[in-house]
Structure formats: structure tokens, C-alpha cells
């Protein structure tokens, strides 16, 4: 899904354009687009062009994590 959203950041595109940009199989790209549309993260414009919805930018900002208070040992365990 991240690949699809990253590709959509470049601007509206067709399913074929998205397949080319991401390297995903056409059915996989379509399933991801439909799922993202259901979550309000992608939408369809005229002429079957897909676009990133405005809510994605605020979603990314809300998911910022401050790691300055995380114990270094925990980060090392994750790596």
C-alpha cells in the first residue's frame, strides 16, 4: 500500500500507470487501490484516473513518533 500511495503522490494516474510506477501486478494494484479508496486514502477521478486523497497528508503527520524518549535497549532489540 505504501508503494501505491507513494506513486499517487506524483499526481493522478491510471491503473496501468500505477502498475508501471510500482512494478505491482495489475490485480494486486487494483485491490490495493480499492482498499485505499475504502479507507478514504485514494479516490477515482474522471477517466479512471486514481489520486491520493487529502487526508493522507494529515494521516502521515499524525503518525510521527518521537523516539527521543525510547529506551535505546528497546531500539536495539527491534533491530
Amino acid at each position: 500500500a505504501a508503494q501505491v500511495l507513494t506513486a499517487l503522490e506524483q499526481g493522478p494516474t491510471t491503473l496501468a500507470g500505477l502498475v508501471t510506477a510500482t512494478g505491482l501486478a495489475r490485480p494486486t494494484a487494483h485491490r490495493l487501490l480499492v482498499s485505499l479508496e475504502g479507507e478514504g486514502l485514494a479516490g477515482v477521478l474522471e477517466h479512471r484516473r486514481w489520486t491520493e486523497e487529502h487526508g493522507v497528508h494529515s494521516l502521515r503527520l499524525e503518525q510521527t513518533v518521537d523516539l527521543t524518549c525510547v529506551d535505546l535497549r528497546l531500539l536495539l532489540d527491534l533491530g
Side-chain angles (χ1 to χ4, degrees):
Q3 283 181 301
V4 172
L5 289 173
T6 299
L8 291 177
E9 284 180 344
Q10 306 306 313
T13 187
T14 61
L15 178 58
L18 191 66
V19 167
T20 300
T22 62
L24 295 170
R26 186 178 179 91
T28 302
H30 186 261
R31 278 193 297 271
L32 287 171
L33 283 169
V34 171
S35 293
L36 291 169
E37 181 183 27
E39 295 297 325
L41 301 176
V44 183
L45 301 173
E46 295 178 28
H47 308 292
R48 298 181 184 176
R49 294 174 64 86
W50 290 85
T51 185
E52 176 183 49
E53 292 293 337
H54 298 294
V56 174
H57 298 294
S58 62
L59 177 67
R60 288 190 187 127
L61 293 175
E62 290 171 11
Q63 290 183 349
T64 302
V65 178
D66 180 9
L67 295 178
T68 58
C69 62
V70 175
D71 189 330
L72 181 59
R73 292 172 292 188
L74 175 64
L75 292 176
L76 292 173
D77 287 343
L78 293 175

